Structure formats: C-alpha cells, structure tokens
Amino acid sequence: MKKSVSEIQKEIIEEFSDLQDWEEKFQYLIELGDELPPYPEEKRSDAYIVPGCQSKVWVYPKLENGALTFFADSDTALTKGLIAILIRVFSDHSPEEIANASLGFIEEIGLSKFLSISRRNGLSSMVNMLQNFAKHPQ
C-alpha cells in the first residue's frame, strides 16, 4: 500500500533522528541527492528552473494515472539532496495531496535551523514550485 505524505515525513524524521550531528545529516542529504535518477538533458531549461535558488535546480513533473511524479537535478550536492528529500515526500501522490501538504518535517529535522538564509529561501522556493505544479497539473 502506498504511504501517505505524512507517513513519508515521519520516516524521514526517524532517519534523521538516528544521525548524530549536522555533518552526518548533511552527508546523508548528499547521499539522497546522489540517488536521484539521471535528469533528462531536454528538461534542463529555464522552463524547469526553480526561481529564487542560489544554486541551479531543475524540476519537472509528470502526471500519470492521477499522480504526480517529480524529476530533479541541481548543480550543487547539498541542494540536490534537499530537492531529493522533497521529491521523496511528494512524488506518486495526487495533485490535491501535494498542494495541501503540510511540511512539518523540515522543522522537525532541523533544516531551517542549520541552513543559511539563502538555502532556506531556496528550499522554500523548491516547495512552492512543487506545490504550484500540483495546483496546476498539466
């Protein structure tokens, strides 16, 4: 059975609670980014770039059978990890679930505390773009 957005967030909170310090947490984020599937070159365009990010982040959605799946890439390892964790939470859910999701896990794992202001803004921009895709699926 498919896990809900909140169940996936709980899993992520548990995974991060097992990590001792921020060095381990950042390393884990980088590993998550490394696990993203290759991003198609034809989608590496301004139409899919996340505005408001210091790093370049590309995201595109695919709507199939009423569920959105997201694909992404970034030019920096940490940012790639951040988008990977968001994709894990949102992918394979209905646009309505994604658009209405509350993302309390970001606070619970301490991301907003340990990211620079520009990275926090970028993370917020990534969330907004994913939820906007859900509000206006194609």
Side-chain angles (χ1 to χ4, degrees):
M1 191 172 92
K2 183 179 92 169
K3 294 177 184 165
S4 72
V5 168
S6 61
E7 287 171 327
I8 295 167
Q9 290 185 63
K10 284 178 188 161
E11 279 181 359
I12 292 168
I13 292 166
E14 286 174 23
E15 290 165 15
F16 273 79
S17 71
D18 292 339
L19 303 172
Q20 300 304 310
D21 57 29
W22 269 99
E23 195 171 309
E24 284 185 19
K25 292 178 184 195
F26 281 137
Q27 187 57 45
Y28 185 57
L29 278 171
I30 290 167
E31 289 170 18
L32 292 174
D34 288 343
E35 293 171 11
L36 283 176
Y39 190 82
E41 284 304 314
E42 71 272 8
K43 301 290 186 184
R44 202 175 296 276
S45 69
D46 289 348
Y48 298 104
I49 207 152
V50 178
C53 284
Q54 192 174 15
S55 305
K56 285 196 174 189
V57 183
W58 298 269
V59 177
Y60 83 92
K62 184 175 179 186
L63 182 62
E64 210 168 56
N65 300 322
L68 276 169
T69 303
F70 294 99
F71 302 89
D73 196 12
S74 177
D75 63 352
T76 63
L78 181 60
T79 307
K80 193 170 180 176
L82 293 172
I83 193 64
I85 209 166
L86 293 175
I87 284 175
R88 179 174 161 194
V89 170
F90 285 144
S91 274
D92 304 320
H93 290 93
S94 72
E96 184 178 24
E97 287 175 281
I98 296 165
N100 296 321
S102 167
L103 297 178
F105 84 99
I106 293 171
E107 281 295 320
E108 285 206 43
I109 63 175
L111 280 181
S112 51
K113 246 190 287 186
F114 291 96
L115 293 175
S116 67
I117 291 171
S118 61
R119 289 219 193 273
R120 282 197 309 263
N121 290 340
L123 180 61
S124 179
S125 294
M126 290 182 235
V127 169
N128 289 338
M129 187 163 182
L130 294 170
Q131 289 187 314
N132 282 335
F133 278 135
K135 290 173 186 167
H136 309 286
Q138 296 152 355

